[in-house]
Amino acid sequence: MAFITLNQQHFYHNLNQIALKTGSIEKIAVVLKDNAYGHGIQEMAALSQAYGIKHAVVKNYEEAQKIKACFETVLALGGEPHADDVCSFALNSMEQIKKAPQDVRIELKVDTGMHRNGIMLEELHEALETIKQRNLRLVGVMTHYRSADVLSSELFWQQKRFEVVKKTVKEAGFLNVRFHSHNSATLFRSRSFDEDLVRAGIGIYGYNELPGIYGKIELKPVLSLYAKRVATRVLEAGERVGYGGDFEVPQKMTVSTYDLGYGDGWPRADSADPYVTGEGMPLLGRVSMDFVSLACGKEEVCIMDDAQKAAKHFGTISYEMTTALSADIPRRVV
Ligand SMILES: *Cc1c(COP(=O)(O)O)cnc(C)c1O
């Protein structure tokens, strides 16, 4: 079976880099949504807890249940809100505010320009009034930036809008509220950090998708993906490998199949432009549902040890490479 290793030292190195920016471990919320970006939510939660992280962010209550024992607070970005001592829920619309059960802990998401979700700025007063009237437990106010990882000044007008939101919330009398707006890219770009929490996702896993011009935060990939040998044969020049026979053997070579395929979340992509593994071997021919072929006889091969590099090859981003990996692949901390 293919397997994933999670490098504890690299993870803690990344958290150290982030703590240098926030000034404190207490201000880091690790974003563990979507199975911890494919890394394995339980494994990453346990490692975070051992490091001393107190806060986490997940996709919904179902994910929160798996890890809430490791943290003081867990914010669910979506899904149905539930009354819970540890979990809070982002509310994204007036509709949700009007029908949220009264005993749930809520964090108000404000749309400062991304126009994906959150209440509109014009709705802020109404939202705060409704929260007061309904006696909801507002514990946080948040926003998300659309262009933090783009080379432009776009980020700044959105940040200005969030400053206005903060002021409005405080003036409305909400005092025990945490404010947060930074993802990894925003944190890496900012010179000073003065909010209560950073929602750090991709950075904790070891990737920085910011253009090079924005400083040099050194991060180390946490995840490596391995596959195991299934069968080996020696092929003569002219023989062909895999579906469609896309790969033609140039000279006598040892070819093995390894147990990773698009069924495990590895991209099938284009056999004419083969991916080259972390060990420098090109995949031979087409990727099957459960197998790839390599000119190699080793028992185990490292397919990927840097998702950002792989992402460049496939025309995507590190987030998609790791998140696509099946939750059924065994994960092991090293
Ligand atoms: C996914 C997500 C994050 C984390 O973003 P990164 O770019 O991975 O650091 C932060 N906030 C929200 C609302 C998110 O959905």
Side-chain angles (χ1 to χ4, degrees):
M1 180 105 182
F3 63 96
I4 284 169
T5 62
L6 303 169
N7 188 311
Q8 172 170 350
Q9 261 182 6
H10 286 189
F11 182 48
Y12 290 172
H13 166 87
N14 301 335
L15 289 173
N16 287 341
Q17 298 294 310
I18 289 164
L20 283 175
K21 280 279 186 181
T22 60
S24 137
I25 296 174
E26 308 267 322
K27 287 189 168 186
I28 303 176
V30 287
V31 180
L32 304 178
K33 68 188 179 199
D34 293 272
N35 198 30
Y37 292 34
H39 288 61
I41 191 167
Q42 260 126 352
E43 291 84 353
M44 295 308 293
L47 286 172
S48 303
Q49 181 185 30
Y51 181 88
I53 299 288
K54 304 274 193 289
H55 311 285
V57 179
V58 294
K59 185 172 181 161
N60 51 33
Y61 195 51
E62 289 66 37
E63 276 195 341
Q65 299 280 56
K66 295 181 185 166
I67 58 153
K68 70 178 200 185
C70 299
F71 300 100
E72 281 175 14
T73 77
V74 176
L75 163 63
L77 293 170
E80 285 300 308
H82 296 258
D84 191 294
D85 286 342
V86 173
C87 302
S88 55
F89 294 82
L91 295 191
N92 277 300
S93 64
M94 281 306 302
E95 234 175 298
Q96 273 189 309
I97 295 167
K98 284 175 188 156
K99 65 169 207 228
Q102 276 190 327
D103 40 2
V104 299
R105 292 148 44 81
I106 62 168
E107 308 212 26
L108 183 63
K109 176 102 170 255
V110 183
D111 179 2
T112 51
M114 184 161 178
H115 301 332
R116 185 175 66 173
N117 41 39
I119 59 153
M120 302 295 285
L121 282 178
E122 305 81 68
E123 293 173 318
L124 184 58
H125 282 285
E126 188 193 350
L128 294 173
E129 270 313 302
T130 311
I131 287 167
K132 265 189 211 165
Q133 277 164 15
R134 299 202 54 222
N135 213 5
L136 297 177
R137 298 170 64 190
L138 183 70
V139 298
V141 175
M142 61 187 286
T143 193
H144 196 46
Y145 300 123
R146 73 179 190 196
S147 302
D149 56 358
V150 178
L151 180 58
S152 76
S153 58
E154 274 229 8
L155 175 63
F156 304 113
W157 58 256
Q158 247 194 298
Q159 283 184 312
K160 284 222 174 75
R161 285 184 180 173
F162 193 54
E163 290 305 317
V164 175
V165 170
K166 288 180 193 172
K167 200 161 157 265
T168 310
V169 172
K170 285 178 194 155
E171 282 169 3
F174 293 97
L175 300 174
N176 280 324
V177 166
R178 61 183 193 180
F179 293 98
H180 45 103
S181 66
H182 290 58
N183 64 351
S184 305
T186 314
L187 184 73
F188 294 154
R189 272 179 76 166
S190 48
R191 296 241 160 67
S192 61
F193 178 78
D194 63 356
E195 290 188 351
D196 300 310
L197 212 58
V198 55
R199 302 185 305 266
I202 201 70
I204 68 172
Y205 304 107
Y207 307 106
N208 181 358
E209 294 276 355
L210 274 176
I213 183 167
Y214 290 119
K216 309 227 182 314
I217 304 278
E218 222 221 290
L219 301 173
K220 299 180 177 176
V222 171
L223 177 147
S224 296
L225 174 65
Y226 292 83
K228 289 193 182 154
R229 192 178 66 85
V230 179
T232 299
R233 62 208 75 238
V234 176
L235 298 175
E236 300 295 333
E239 292 192 278
R240 289 172 175 275
V241 176
Y243 282 115
D246 283 8
F247 177 73
E248 183 179 325
V249 176
Q251 73 249 335
K252 188 171 177 176
M253 65 162 51
T254 300
V255 174
S256 302
T257 44
Y258 289 87
D259 62 353
L260 179 80
Y262 61 81
D264 303 296
W266 184 257
R268 180 171 173 277
D270 179 4
S271 63
D273 178 21
Y275 168 80
V276 178
T277 69
E279 298 169 18
M281 290 184 284
L283 301 185
L284 307 180
R286 286 189 207 167
V287 171
S288 303
M289 192 179 291
D290 296 311
F291 304 106
V292 292
S293 297
L294 292 169
C296 174
K298 283 182 14 175
E299 283 307 313
E300 287 177 3
V301 290
C302 176
I303 301 287
M304 173 175 79
D305 57 7
D306 184 337
Q308 201 163 354
K309 253 194 223 158
K312 284 217 179 77
H313 174 82
F314 292 115
T316 181
I317 51 176
S318 52
Y319 299 74
E320 191 183 8
M321 287 306 304
T322 59
T323 307
L325 296 173
S326 163
D328 294 334
I329 303 174
R331 271 86 170 153
R332 177 192 311 160
V333 175
V334 294

